[in-house]
Amino acid sequence: MPTSSETTSPPVAGSALGRALLAYGEARRNAAAEARRALSLNELDARALLFVAENPGARPSHVRDHLGITSAGVTTLIDRLVQRGAVRRDLDDVDRRVNHITATVDLDVPPWSALRAFDAGIEAAIATIDPTEARRTAETLERIIGTVAG
């Protein structure tokens, strides 16, 4: 005969909001991983490409600082993206020792749009929510993150 602990499901830890936040994070990580697989990009290359697309003409040092990697690491990373045809290097007009990195792919059209598809879906869903409710939710999340991040 089963004991009472064998017949009941284990308790769910945490609050509903906490579980929802964890589920969001997991869904976003899974979507990003799937997009990277489809595009044959590693995580760092994808993050660099997104950064460069948002910051056209960024210097390698900006990419390095954003990603928290070494100068040698950013050089290798940018070489990979240039070879792939995803970005280009342009020499600075004034200082020929300086490169500017620009995305050559359009992240708003397939297949590259896969990198932003989850976030675009989230924004579309948020657009359907009452603006006051969306603002209050954002304020709540910012307080929670501020408390945890310290």
Side-chain angles (χ1 to χ4, degrees):
M1 174 171 239
T3 65
S4 64
S5 64
E6 294 172 316
T7 59
T8 61
S9 21
V12 178
S15 66
L17 180 55
R19 288 189 307 275
L21 286 169
L22 293 173
Y24 166 81
E26 182 71 15
R28 189 170 192 273
R29 280 188 300 280
N30 289 341
E34 182 56 37
R36 290 191 310 269
R37 270 192 298 279
L39 295 168
S40 299
L41 289 174
N42 67 44
E43 181 178 359
L44 208 54
D45 289 1
R47 288 178 51 210
L49 180 57
L50 288 166
F51 178 79
V52 169
E54 294 295 322
N55 300 279
R59 294 174 63 164
S61 59
H62 299 146
V63 178
R64 177 199 69 211
D65 293 347
H66 175 72
L67 298 175
I69 60 176
T70 65
S71 294
V74 80
T75 298
T76 302
L77 182 151
I78 291 170
D79 286 346
R80 278 194 308 269
L81 291 175
V82 167
Q83 185 176 28
R84 173 105 192 247
V87 302
R88 72 172 192 268
R89 282 188 182 99
D90 298 310
L91 292 176
D92 188 87
D93 293 335
V94 176
D95 186 347
R96 307 287 285 170
R97 297 171 295 174
V98 174
N99 287 304
H100 297 280
I101 312 302
T102 304
T104 57
V105 295
D106 187 346
L107 297 183
D108 292 326
V109 298
W112 299 101
S113 59
L115 288 173
R116 295 181 175 164
F118 184 85
D119 292 342
I122 291 294
E123 288 299 327
I126 290 169
T128 68
I129 297 172
D130 174 64
T132 302
E133 181 183 354
R135 181 184 47 74
R136 274 186 279 174
T137 302
E139 290 168 354
T140 300
L141 293 173
E142 287 166 358
R143 276 196 319 274
I144 291 169
I145 292 167
T147 300
V148 173

